[in-house]
Amino acid sequence: MGKVYPEIGGRLREFIEAQPVFFVASAPSDGHVNVSPKGMRGTFLVVDPLTVAWLDYHGSGAETLAHLRENGRVTVMFCAFTGPPKIVRLHGRGVATPLTDPGFPALLAGFPDPPDPHAVRSVVTVAVDRVSDSCGYAVPLMDYRGERDLLIEWGSRRTDEDLAAYRSRKNAASIDGLPVF
């Protein structure tokens, strides 16, 4: 059986910061549930014991951003694929700050060692209201082989104008028709 914690501290924080991948789950009030894998070292930050943030890079969709805009509900999950089995879930309310927002540069500056931030479209900040873990006994053991640099390369080949056009064309609405930005 899992345990609920009052905050992200000590070993939980160390566990979260050591994971090369995390999963984000969100859902609109009426529509499709979305689960997105995220990765790249330097893109996730434990801001304080009840606040986390991640760098949201351009992608083929923008479901999480649309769901956060609509209702803010989000769950972030981390799994141990090496070492002792463990799953950590952070439940809370999130806000996406797009790169066009005046507060974006300060949020981006909070990440000490991000990959090339050129293609970051927003910083997502989550006020965590529930921290829990569970066993993870059924999560397979897998070896981490390294980062994929394809997203960084993709973004580096585009100008700011190209990325703005991409957001307008590909990230304007969720699959349920909710506005993103």
Side-chain angles (χ1 to χ4, degrees):
M1 194 66 177
K3 182 176 176 183
V4 176
Y5 299 87
E7 63 184 30
I8 305 163
R11 292 191 314 202
L12 281 180
R13 183 178 185 141
E14 291 170 10
F15 173 80
I16 287 169
E17 291 174 343
Q19 302 314 306
V21 65
F22 60 99
F23 302 86
V24 174
S26 63
S29 298
D30 182 34
H32 294 85
V33 174
N34 184 65
V35 179
S36 291
K38 306 284 184 191
M40 294 192 299
R41 298 267 186 209
T43 63
F44 191 88
L45 180 65
V46 177
V47 177
D48 65 41
L50 289 173
T51 310
V52 297
W54 71 84
L55 300 178
D56 176 63
Y57 284 78
H58 284 79
S60 56
E63 298 305 302
T64 302
L65 300 181
H67 298 165
L68 292 177
R69 183 173 182 203
E70 195 231 8
N71 63 37
R73 297 177 311 140
V74 65
T75 300
V76 183
M77 184 180 77
F78 302 85
C79 298
F81 294 108
T82 62
K86 182 185 265 314
I87 298 169
V88 171
R89 289 179 184 87
L90 309 174
H91 300 261
R93 299 272 173 186
V95 173
T97 303
L99 65 99
T100 55
D101 187 284
F104 177 82
L107 291 173
L108 181 61
F111 289 81
D113 191 26
D116 180 4
H118 172 66
V120 174
R121 66 184 170 190
S122 67
V123 174
V124 176
T125 306
V126 178
V128 177
D129 58 39
R130 187 174 194 271
V131 179
S132 65
D133 71 4
S134 57
C135 68
Y137 288 173
V139 174
L141 290 168
M142 299 191 308
D143 294 323
Y144 173 73
R145 293 185 15 209
E147 300 289 328
R148 293 181 194 222
D149 60 1
L150 296 172
L151 186 58
I152 298 298
E153 284 183 25
W154 177 89
S156 71
R157 293 190 305 265
R158 282 150 181 86
T159 66
D160 291 343
E161 293 78 21
D162 293 337
L163 292 171
Y166 184 89
R167 285 191 305 278
S168 293
R169 196 173 60 253
K170 300 266 189 176
N171 296 160
S174 74
I175 59 175
D176 295 310
L178 297 173
V180 174
F181 294 104

